[in-house]
Amino acid sequence: MTLTPVGPEHAEGLYELVTDPEVRRLTGSHAEFDRDTARQWYLTRGERPERLDLAITAGDAYVGEIVLNELDAANLACNLRIALLGSRVFGRGYGTEAITLVLDHAFTTTPLHRISLDVHAFNDRARHVYKKVGFVEEGVRRDALLWDGEWHDSVAMSMLRTEWLPRSESLA
């Protein structure tokens, strides 16, 4: 598995990702994309110094993306989000490896202190992975997602530099 800055060469993979019904449900994405929008999105990510958008690839195949965004420079904090291409790549460890690599990069090469994320309460697979790499559940945003006429909670989680650094030393 490799992480590389996203570019137009990943646009077809992004389009497949954002139009997959299961991925849309797991991420709660209501946005509509077409191929041109996906290409334009990935063309402009490198111009955004306040975020890091990375393609997750296995061999030459795009399997998803991982992003650090919503930078709060004053509080040395940002958000993490990840999306994998769908059921054909779930369960292969790509998410765990990508998150571990990004956390290690963020906490060892930047002054970031806190990385947070939100995950829908029904996404047990993702919650398991986040906990496995060390994210801590902080609370629940009730009825945060309306999907197919039903309300779903969202779980707030975070990782602090002081939690990651000792953990990363034990991984080395």
Side-chain angles (χ1 to χ4, degrees):
M1 190 221 63
T2 306
L3 300 178
T4 56
V6 297
E9 67 275 18
H10 303 116
E12 190 60 33
L14 174 65
Y15 177 73
E16 185 179 345
L17 184 140
V18 299
T19 57
D20 181 280
E22 180 66 359
V23 173
R24 290 173 57 103
R25 183 182 76 81
L26 292 172
T27 60
S29 178
H30 294 288
E32 297 289 332
F33 280 88
D34 58 32
R35 282 182 168 84
D36 289 337
T37 303
R39 187 175 184 336
Q40 188 59 36
W41 178 258
Y42 271 179
L43 271 172
T44 60
R45 295 308 87 195
E47 302 165 5
R48 308 284 306 266
E50 77 286 1
R51 57 185 292 141
L52 177 64
D53 293 74
L54 300 170
I56 305 167
T57 56
D60 291 334
Y62 176 97
V63 296
E65 70 170 8
I66 187 165
V67 177
L68 292 177
N69 62 359
E70 300 176 16
L71 178 64
D72 178 351
N75 291 305
L76 301 175
C78 71
N79 179 72
L80 179 140
R81 70 175 173 76
I82 184 171
L84 297 177
L85 203 48
S87 58
R88 73 170 189 252
V89 301
F90 291 163
R92 297 185 181 198
Y94 298 133
T96 302
E97 186 176 357
I99 294 166
T100 301
L101 289 170
V102 165
L103 290 173
D104 199 56
H105 170 74
F107 288 134
T108 61
T109 67
T110 77
L112 284 172
H113 175 71
R114 173 184 162 79
I115 298 176
S116 60
L117 60 86
D118 287 301
V119 59
H120 301 300
F122 61 77
N123 194 343
D124 294 328
R125 183 185 311 108
R127 288 175 68 190
H128 170 77
V129 169
Y130 298 142
K131 287 179 185 178
K132 181 169 72 171
V133 299
F135 276 86
V136 174
E137 290 188 358
E138 299 180 319
V140 174
R141 292 184 324 128
R142 300 175 306 144
D143 287 356
L145 172 69
L146 179 60
W147 194 263
D148 286 339
E150 292 185 36
W151 288 104
H152 301 277
D153 294 344
S154 179
V155 179
M157 302 179 81
S158 72
M159 170 76 71
L160 304 179
R161 170 189 292 279
T162 53
E163 296 163 339
W164 177 256
L165 293 178
R167 196 177 170 84
S168 68
E169 290 169 4
S170 69
L171 297 174

